[in-house]
DNA sequence: TGCCCTCGGGG
DNA sequence: GTGTACGAGGGCA
């Protein structure tokens, strides 16, 4: 059998026999839309050791676990060194050897997940051709299974993935699961099914359903944080196996945060929302409204037990709707497509690209190069969680406080990658660690690190980046020349994926623990970058322009054409081109009119007038959790005035709002603070927590409270410690006096960030008079 | 100012 | 699974 496959994920098992029974299982989707398991039995785990003492080799060669020891000559941190490749029987023994041997000699290649090791070593791409013997009567849930003989190349393709989205309604009071609804789709809806009844049978039916349907992807809203852990716990209680993996293994918790279902991918729609959208609130309801303009069914989930008693049918309908909605969200955000695109660029299984760890993206490209060039792959060295090794970041210019007219914003195209290419930065070109090649002294970073120039030695890192950058330009050109909109869309997604990979180089190389970097490299990159942006600022100033702000790779300056957008666009483009160098390319990104900051770094707002009308708000928005609506409302009103370039109006709006709050002249609903409350005993200092106080007072009034429920309250006296709050109960009159002063103060604090520049700080806003009048 | 604690999503 | 990683915001010292 021969098949073209897109790789989804992989695992290994030891089912067959005791020794030598390690087999890899790769799960994928064929070009003709079949799910497939690829079994590989002939790959052994290994690691490498650098210049080991003879005694050590003697020692481990007698080890029953060790299968083979062979010679290798590798470039390791600046030297050609004699190394040994130690092949062993079991992948999970590698960490053991790492620990045992690491104080006697340097260990290489010992922290690469086994499946990835295999695909790197065999240069397997995200899509590949596999030849082998079909396994008839296999026990996998996939359509096909094959014993791999040979791997080859094939064109990229994008199979339609089968997605099962599900939702579970469960009692808050006890452990009972009321209903699980599943929604299966490929391109269109295939099946909707709800599971009810006794929990044991319910879960068993659900498991059977999953294995029968055999979805590639399992999704839902916050399933990693709620549905899956709850399901797991209940299944354990009832002694039901959640054997929903494609090889019939049990679903397991991978980290604290997510789960693993072998052969299937878990794509939590909430996580997708977090990374793809910028929302203040991320409830499914809000997201649905934002994406589709529709509200979901009105069932109060914090009161699910009541709802279930009163109207089962409605709860079931609600559950089905939510299951479908989560799938819709995933689809709308193009999550799977993006993961496949990223897989295409990074040569990784789709699963690795759903919530990619940037270091894995880079590893995939870099390690393949290292194998090719006989370079030793060092290990990541996370030394504790210390961030003392944090590399100094970008340069941030203290913004010029006030309202500014017509501000072109220039930014460097892929700044960090460009610096790396320009200065040939790589572990393999770092001259200070290398004694095989004399240094010519051409490239020295501002922190004193020395790099070989390109003609002396080409770095892998700049090479990879150059390739990516070229590919991106090519892809963009293809996009622009495509006649078919579908084709154009494909190329656009691909270039976006390339950008993601290129940018992830920065994060990884700015850290000091990534395997292919070190402090000198990280610091050199950012130092070169700071130098470049400062040069731009200087050049602008020398030309007579006034720079008002700059952050890392962008510069904001004043256009002399305060009221002429056309001229400003022209000027911006002209200036950008003039200052650009061969590698460091500046572009006119957008134009703000007006631009405002109160003088604090990373806090500014602006109205974007080019290339599209937009609003730009950085660092000012109050986000979620214990904020209350009045804060947002007041902020919005003041924003509006500032963007209308009306200073006085902004101050007046702020004063008026605060005055109203002080006088109790505001809708009480806008003061409600609402947070969920755990079991009281789970808090370190429960008596200090406002939510505990509110919950207790609710119970006293005879209302139900179950741990985990959301509670709402209004602050009535903040001068006490802890502050005094009273619960807000819907449909009941609030018979306490809010602490108006407290609310006015919090609003003033928020607003003062904006009005400070106009001479109005928090206290001034509270008093209603500015400093000048005061003194 | 800096440390410690908590939340979010879900029911 | 050849592991180790959330990030923002408020309260309190």
């Amino acid at each position: 059998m021969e098949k073209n496959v897109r790789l989804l994920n992989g695992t290994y098992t030891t089912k067959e026999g005791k020794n030598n029974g390690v087999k890899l299982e790769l799960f994928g989707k064929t070009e003709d839309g079949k799910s497939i398991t690829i079994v590989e039995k002939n790959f052994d785990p290994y690691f490498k050791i650098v210049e080991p003492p003879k005694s050590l080799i003697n020692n481990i060669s007698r080890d029953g676990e060790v299968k083979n020891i062979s010679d290798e000559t590798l470039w390791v941190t600046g030297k050609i060194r004699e190394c040994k490749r130690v092949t062993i029987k079991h992948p999970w023994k590698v960490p053991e050897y790492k620990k045992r041997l690491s104080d006697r000699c340097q260990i290489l290649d010992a922290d690469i997940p086994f499946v990835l090791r295999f695909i790197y070593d065999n240069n397997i791409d995200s899509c590949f051709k596999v030849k082998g013997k079909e396994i008839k009567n296999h026990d996998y849930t996939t359509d096909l299974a094959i014993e791999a003989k040979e791997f080859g190349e094939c064109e990229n393709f994008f199979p339609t993935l089968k997605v099962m989205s599900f939702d579970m309604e469960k009692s808050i009071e006890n452990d009972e699961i009321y209903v699980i609804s599943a929604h299966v789709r490929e391109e269109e809806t295939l099946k909707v099914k709800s599971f009810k009844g006794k929990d044991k049978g319910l879960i068993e039916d659900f498991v059977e359903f999953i294995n029968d349907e055999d979805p590639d992807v399992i999704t839902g809203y916050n399933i990693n944080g709620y549905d899956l852990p709850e399901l797991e716990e209940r299944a354990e209680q009832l002694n039901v196996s959640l054997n929903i993996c494609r090889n019939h293994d049990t679903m397991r918790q991978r980290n604290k945060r997510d789960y693993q279902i072998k052969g299937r991918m878990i794509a939590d729609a909430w996580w997708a929302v977090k990374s793809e959208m910028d929302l203040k609130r991320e409830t499914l309801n809000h997201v649905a409204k934002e994406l589709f303009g529709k509200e979901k069914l009105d069932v109060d989930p914090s009161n699910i037990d009541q709802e279930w008693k009163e109207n089962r049918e409605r709860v079931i309908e609600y559950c089905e709707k939510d299951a479908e909605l989560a799938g819709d969200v995933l689809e709308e955000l193009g999550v799977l497509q993006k993961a496949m695109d990223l897989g295409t660029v990074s040569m990784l299984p789709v699963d690795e690209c759903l919530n990619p760890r940037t270091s894995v993206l880079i590893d995939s490209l870099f390690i393949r190069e290292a194998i090719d060039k006989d370079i030793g792959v060092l290990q990541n060295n996370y030394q504790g969680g210390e961030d003392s090794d944090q590399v100094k970041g970008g340069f941030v210019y203290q913004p010029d406080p006030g309202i500014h007219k017509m501000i072109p914003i220039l930014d460097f195209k892929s700044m960090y990658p460009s610096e790396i290419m320009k200065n040939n930065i790589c572990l393999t070109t770092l001259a200070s660690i290398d004694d095989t090649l004399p240094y010519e002294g051409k490239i020295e970073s501002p922190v004193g690190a020395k790099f070989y120039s390109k003609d002396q030695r080409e770095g892998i890192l700049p090479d990879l980046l150059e390739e990516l950058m070229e590919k991106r330009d090519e892809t963009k050109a293809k996009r622009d020349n495509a006649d078919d909109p579908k084709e154009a869309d494909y190329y656009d997604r691909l270039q976006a994926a390339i950008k993601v990979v290129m940018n992830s180089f920065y994060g990884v190389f700015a850290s000091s623990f990534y395997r292919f970097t070190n402090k000198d490299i990280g610091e050199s990159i950012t130092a070169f970058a700071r130098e470049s942006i400062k040069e731009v600022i200087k050049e602008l100033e020398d030309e007579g322009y006034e720079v008002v702000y700059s952050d890392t790779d962008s510069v904001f300056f004043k256009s002399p054409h305060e009221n002429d957008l056309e001229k400003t666009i022209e000027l911006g483009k002209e200036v950008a081109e003039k200052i650009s160098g061969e590698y460091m390319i500046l572009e006119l990104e957008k134009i703000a009119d007006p631009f405002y900051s109160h003088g604090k770094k990373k806090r500014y707002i602006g109205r974007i007038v080019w290339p599209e009308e937009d609003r730009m708000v950085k660092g000012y928005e109050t986000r979620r959790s214990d904020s209350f609506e009045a804060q947002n409302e007041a902020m919005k009103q003041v924003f509006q005035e500032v963007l209308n370039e009306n200073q006085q109006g902004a101050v007046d709006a702020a004063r008026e709002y605060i005055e109203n709050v002080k006088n109790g002249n505001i809708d009480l609903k806008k003061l409600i603070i609402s947070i969920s409350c755990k079991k009281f005993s789970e808090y370190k200092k429960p008596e200090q927590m406002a939510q505990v106080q509110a919950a207790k007072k609710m119970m006293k009034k005879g209302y139900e409270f179950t741990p985990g429920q959301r509670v709402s309250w209004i602050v009535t006296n903040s001068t006490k410690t802890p502050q005094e709050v009273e619960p807000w109960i819907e449909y009941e009159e609030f018979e306490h006096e809010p602490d108006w002063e407290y609310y006015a103060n919090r609003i003033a604090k928020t607003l003062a960030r904006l009005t400070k520049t106009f001479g109005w700080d928090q206290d001034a806003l509270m008093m209603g008079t500015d400093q000048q009048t005061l003194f």
Side-chain angles (χ1 to χ4, degrees), chain A residues 12 94 110-111 113-114 252 254-255 357 382 513 626:
Chain A
Y12 65 87
V94 172
D111 64 350
F114 195 44
R252 314 177 7 175
R254 181 155 43 193
N255 299 313
R357 311 240 61 244
Y382 318 93
F513 50 73
D626 89 331

Coordinates of all heavy atoms in Angstrom, one line a residue, chain A residues 12 94 110-111 113-114 252 254-255 357 382 513 626, chain C:
Chain A
Y12 N 4.0 6.4 21.1 CA 4.6 5.1 21.0 C 4.1 4.2 22.1 O 3.6 4.7 23.1 CB 6.1 5.2 21.1 CG 6.6 5.7 22.4 CD1 6.9 4.9 23.5 CD2 6.9 7.1 22.6 CE1 7.4 5.3 24.7 CE2 7.4 7.5 23.9 CZ 7.6 6.6 24.9 OH 8.1 7.1 26.1
V94 N 15.7 7.3 28.5 CA 16.7 8.4 28.2 C 16.9 9.4 29.3 O 18.1 9.7 29.6 CB 16.3 9.1 26.8 CG1 17.2 10.3 26.6 CG2 16.4 8.1 25.7
A110 N 19.2 14.6 24.1 CA 18.5 13.7 25.0 C 17.2 14.3 25.6 O 16.7 13.9 26.5 CB 19.4 13.4 26.2
D111 N 16.7 15.4 24.9 CA 15.4 15.9 25.4 C 14.5 16.2 24.2 O 13.7 17.1 24.2 CB 15.6 17.2 26.2 CG 16.2 18.3 25.4 OD1 16.7 18.1 24.2 OD2 16.3 19.4 25.9
P113 N 11.3 14.7 22.1 CA 10.3 13.7 22.2 C 10.5 12.7 21.1 O 10.8 13.0 19.9 CB 9.0 14.5 22.0 CG 9.3 15.9 22.5 CD 10.8 16.1 22.2
F114 N 10.2 11.4 21.4 CA 10.5 10.3 20.6 C 9.9 10.4 19.2 O 10.6 10.2 18.2 CB 10.1 9.0 21.2 CG 10.7 7.8 20.7 CD1 12.0 7.7 20.3 CD2 9.9 6.7 20.5 CE1 12.6 6.5 19.8 CE2 10.4 5.5 19.9 CZ 11.7 5.4 19.6
R252 N -5.8 10.8 28.7 CA -5.1 11.1 30.0 C -4.8 12.6 30.0 O -4.7 13.3 29.0 CB -3.8 10.4 30.0 CG -3.8 9.0 29.7 CD -2.4 8.4 29.7 NE -1.6 9.5 30.2 CZ -0.3 9.4 30.5 NH1 0.3 8.3 30.3 NH2 0.4 10.4 31.0
R254 N -2.4 15.5 30.3 CA -1.0 15.7 29.9 C -0.3 16.6 30.8 O 0.7 16.3 31.5 CB -0.9 16.2 28.5 CG 0.5 16.4 28.0 CD 0.6 16.3 26.5 NE -0.5 17.0 25.8 CZ -0.8 16.9 24.5 NH1 -0.1 16.0 23.8 NH2 -1.7 17.6 24.0
N255 N -0.8 17.8 30.9 CA -0.3 18.8 31.9 C -1.4 19.1 32.9 O -2.4 18.5 32.9 CB 0.1 20.1 31.2 CG 1.1 19.9 30.2 OD1 2.1 19.2 30.5 ND2 0.9 20.4 29.0
R357 N 4.3 25.5 20.8 CA 5.4 26.0 21.7 C 6.4 26.5 20.6 O 6.8 25.7 19.8 CB 6.0 24.9 22.5 CG 5.0 24.0 23.3 CD 5.3 24.1 24.7 NE 5.1 25.5 25.2 CZ 6.1 26.2 25.7 NH1 7.3 25.7 25.8 NH2 5.8 27.4 26.2
Y382 N 16.7 24.7 31.2 CA 15.9 25.5 32.1 C 16.5 25.4 33.5 O 16.4 24.3 34.1 CB 14.5 24.9 32.2 CG 13.9 24.3 30.9 CD1 14.0 23.0 30.6 CD2 13.1 25.2 30.2 CE1 13.5 22.5 29.4 CE2 12.5 24.7 29.0 CZ 12.7 23.4 28.7 OH 12.1 22.9 27.5
F513 N 17.6 30.1 27.6 CA 17.7 28.6 27.9 C 17.4 27.8 26.7 O 17.4 26.6 26.8 CB 16.7 28.3 29.0 CG 15.4 28.8 28.9 CD1 14.5 28.3 27.9 CD2 14.9 29.9 29.7 CE1 13.2 28.8 27.8 CE2 13.6 30.4 29.5 CZ 12.8 29.8 28.6
D626 N -12.3 41.8 38.2 CA -13.1 42.5 39.1 C -13.4 44.0 38.8 O -13.5 44.9 39.6 CB -12.6 42.4 40.5 CG -11.5 43.4 40.9 OD1 -10.9 43.8 40.0 OD2 -11.4 43.7 42.1
Chain C
dG1 P 3.3 15.1 26.7 OP1 3.5 16.5 26.5 OP2 2.2 14.4 26.0 O5' 4.6 14.2 26.6 C5' 5.7 14.7 27.1 C4' 6.6 13.6 27.4 O4' 6.0 12.7 28.4 C3' 6.8 12.7 26.2 O3' 8.1 12.2 26.2 C2' 5.8 11.5 26.4 C1' 6.0 11.4 27.9 N9 4.9 10.7 28.5 C8 3.6 11.0 28.7 N7 2.8 10.1 29.3 C5 3.7 9.1 29.6 C6 3.5 7.9 30.3 O6 2.5 7.5 30.8 N1 4.7 7.2 30.4 C2 5.9 7.6 29.9 N2 6.9 6.8 30.1 N3 6.1 8.7 29.3 C4 5.0 9.4 29.2
dT2 P 8.9 11.7 25.0 OP1 8.9 12.9 24.1 OP2 8.2 10.5 24.7 O5' 10.3 11.3 25.4 C5' 10.6 11.1 26.8 C4' 12.0 11.5 27.2 O4' 13.0 10.9 26.4 C3' 12.2 13.0 27.0 O3' 13.0 13.4 28.1 C2' 12.9 13.1 25.7 C1' 13.7 11.9 25.7 N1 14.1 11.3 24.4 C2 15.4 11.6 24.0 O2 16.1 12.3 24.5 N3 15.7 11.0 22.8 C4 14.9 10.1 22.0 O4 15.3 9.6 21.0 C5 13.6 9.8 22.6 C7 12.7 8.9 21.9 C6 13.3 10.4 23.7
dG3 P 13.0 14.8 28.7 OP1 13.8 15.7 27.9 OP2 13.4 14.7 30.2 O5' 11.5 15.3 28.7 C5' 11.3 16.6 29.0 C4' 9.9 17.0 28.7 O4' 9.0 16.1 29.4 C3' 9.6 18.4 29.3 O3' 8.9 19.2 28.3 C2' 8.7 18.1 30.5 C1' 8.0 16.8 30.1 N9 7.6 16.2 31.3 C8 8.3 15.2 32.1 N7 7.7 14.9 33.1 C5 6.5 15.6 33.1 C6 5.4 15.7 33.9 O6 5.2 15.0 35.0 N1 4.4 16.5 33.5 C2 4.5 17.3 32.4 N2 3.5 18.1 32.1 N3 5.5 17.3 31.5 C4 6.5 16.4 32.0
dT4 P 8.8 20.6 28.2 OP1 8.1 20.8 27.0 OP2 10.0 21.3 28.5 O5' 7.8 20.8 29.4 C5' 7.9 22.0 30.1 C4' 7.8 21.7 31.5 O4' 9.0 21.2 32.1 C3' 7.4 22.9 32.3 O3' 6.0 22.7 32.7 C2' 8.3 22.8 33.5 C1' 9.0 21.5 33.4 N1 10.3 21.3 34.0 C2 11.2 22.3 34.0 O2 11.1 23.3 33.5 N3 12.4 21.9 34.7 C4 12.7 20.8 35.4 O4 13.7 20.6 35.9 C5 11.6 19.8 35.3 C7 11.8 18.4 35.9 C6 10.5 20.1 34.7
dA5 P 5.6 23.7 33.8 OP1 6.3 23.9 35.0 OP2 4.2 23.2 33.9 O5' 5.7 24.9 32.9 C5' 6.6 26.1 33.2 C4' 5.8 27.3 32.8 O4' 6.6 28.1 31.9 C3' 4.5 27.0 32.0 O3' 3.7 28.2 32.1 C2' 5.1 26.9 30.6 C1' 6.1 28.0 30.6 N9 7.3 27.7 29.8 C8 7.3 27.6 28.5 N7 8.5 27.4 28.0 C5 9.3 27.2 29.2 C6 10.6 26.9 29.4 N6 11.5 26.7 28.5 N1 11.0 26.8 30.7 C2 10.2 27.1 31.7 N3 8.9 27.4 31.6 C4 8.5 27.4 30.3
dC6 P 2.2 28.1 32.6 OP1 2.0 29.0 33.8 OP2 1.8 26.7 32.6 O5' 1.6 28.8 31.3 C5' 2.2 29.8 30.6 C4' 1.3 30.9 30.2 O4' 0.0 30.7 30.8 C3' 1.8 32.2 30.7 O3' 1.4 33.1 29.7 C2' 1.1 32.4 32.0 C1' -0.3 31.8 31.6 N1 -1.0 31.4 32.8 C2 -2.3 31.8 33.0 O2 -2.8 32.6 32.2 N3 -3.0 31.4 34.1 C4 -2.5 30.6 35.0 N4 -3.3 30.2 36.0 C5 -1.2 30.1 34.8 C6 -0.5 30.5 33.8
dG7 P 2.3 34.4 29.4 OP1 3.0 34.2 28.1 OP2 3.1 34.7 30.7 O5' 1.3 35.6 29.2 C5' -0.2 35.4 29.3 C4' -0.8 36.5 30.0 O4' -1.3 36.0 31.3 C3' 0.2 37.6 30.4 O3' -0.6 38.8 30.4 C2' 0.6 37.3 31.9 C1' -0.8 36.7 32.4 N9 -0.8 35.8 33.5 C8 0.3 35.1 34.1 N7 -0.1 34.4 35.1 C5 -1.4 34.6 35.2 C6 -2.4 34.1 36.2 O6 -2.2 33.4 37.1 N1 -3.6 34.6 36.0 C2 -4.0 35.5 34.9 N2 -5.2 35.9 34.9 N3 -3.1 36.0 34.1 C4 -1.9 35.5 34.3
dA8 P 0.1 40.3 30.6 OP1 0.6 40.7 29.3 OP2 0.9 40.3 31.8 O5' -1.2 41.1 30.9 C5' -2.5 40.6 30.7 C4' -3.4 41.0 31.8 O4' -3.3 40.0 32.9 C3' -3.0 42.4 32.5 O3' -4.2 43.1 32.6 C2' -2.4 42.0 33.8 C1' -3.1 40.7 34.2 N9 -2.4 39.8 35.0 C8 -1.0 39.5 34.9 N7 -0.6 38.6 35.8 C5 -1.8 38.3 36.5 C6 -2.0 37.4 37.6 N6 -1.1 36.7 38.2 N1 -3.3 37.4 38.1 C2 -4.2 38.1 37.5 N3 -4.1 39.0 36.5 C4 -2.9 39.0 36.0
dG9 P -4.2 44.6 33.2 OP1 -5.2 45.3 32.3 OP2 -2.8 45.1 33.3 O5' -4.8 44.5 34.6 C5' -6.0 43.7 34.8 C4' -6.2 43.7 36.3 O4' -5.4 42.6 36.8 C3' -5.9 45.0 37.0 O3' -7.0 45.3 37.8 C2' -4.6 44.6 37.8 C1' -4.8 43.1 38.0 N9 -3.5 42.4 38.2 C8 -2.3 42.6 37.5 N7 -1.4 41.8 37.9 C5 -2.0 41.0 38.9 C6 -1.4 40.0 39.7 O6 -0.3 39.5 39.7 N1 -2.4 39.5 40.6 C2 -3.6 39.9 40.7 N2 -4.4 39.3 41.6 N3 -4.2 40.9 39.9 C4 -3.3 41.4 39.1
dG10 P -7.0 46.7 38.7 OP1 -8.2 47.4 38.3 OP2 -5.7 47.4 38.5 O5' -7.1 46.1 40.1 C5' -8.0 45.1 40.4 C4' -7.9 44.6 41.8 O4' -6.7 43.8 41.9 C3' -7.6 45.7 42.9 O3' -8.4 45.4 44.0 C2' -6.1 45.7 43.1 C1' -5.8 44.3 42.9 N9 -4.4 44.0 42.4 C8 -3.8 44.6 41.3 N7 -2.6 44.2 41.1 C5 -2.4 43.2 42.0 C6 -1.3 42.3 42.3 O6 -0.3 42.2 41.7 N1 -1.6 41.4 43.3 C2 -2.8 41.4 44.0 N2 -2.8 40.5 45.0 N3 -3.8 42.2 43.8 C4 -3.6 43.0 42.8
dG11 P -8.5 46.4 45.3 OP1 -9.9 46.3 45.7 OP2 -7.9 47.7 44.9 O5' -7.7 45.6 46.3 C5' -8.0 44.3 46.7 C4' -7.0 43.8 47.8 O4' -5.8 43.5 47.2 C3' -6.8 44.8 48.9 O3' -6.7 44.0 50.1 C2' -5.4 45.4 48.5 C1' -4.7 44.2 47.8 N9 -3.8 44.6 46.8 C8 -3.9 45.6 45.8 N7 -2.9 45.7 45.0 C5 -2.0 44.7 45.5 C6 -0.7 44.3 45.0 O6 -0.1 44.8 44.1 N1 -0.2 43.4 45.8 C2 -0.8 42.8 46.9 N2 -0.1 41.8 47.5 N3 -2.0 43.1 47.3 C4 -2.5 44.1 46.6
dC12 P -6.8 44.7 51.5 OP1 -7.7 43.8 52.3 OP2 -7.0 46.1 51.4 O5' -5.3 44.4 52.1 C5' -4.8 43.1 52.0 C4' -3.3 43.2 52.2 O4' -2.7 43.7 51.0 C3' -2.8 44.2 53.3 O3' -1.9 43.6 54.1 C2' -2.2 45.4 52.5 C1' -1.6 44.6 51.3 N1 -1.4 45.5 50.1 C2 -0.3 45.2 49.3 O2 0.5 44.4 49.7 N3 -0.1 46.0 48.2 C4 -0.9 47.0 47.9 N4 -0.7 47.7 46.8 C5 -2.1 47.2 48.7 C6 -2.3 46.5 49.8
dA13 P -1.5 44.2 55.5 OP1 -1.8 43.2 56.5 OP2 -2.0 45.6 55.6 O5' 0.1 44.3 55.3 C5' 0.8 43.1 55.0 C4' 2.2 43.5 54.7 O4' 2.3 44.2 53.4 C3' 2.9 44.4 55.7 O3' 4.2 43.9 56.0 C2' 2.9 45.8 55.1 C1' 3.0 45.4 53.6 N9 2.3 46.4 52.7 C8 1.1 47.1 52.9 N7 0.8 47.9 51.9 C5 1.9 47.8 51.0 C6 2.1 48.4 49.8 N6 1.3 49.2 49.2 N1 3.3 48.0 49.2 C2 4.1 47.2 49.7 N3 3.9 46.5 50.9 C4 2.8 46.9 51.5

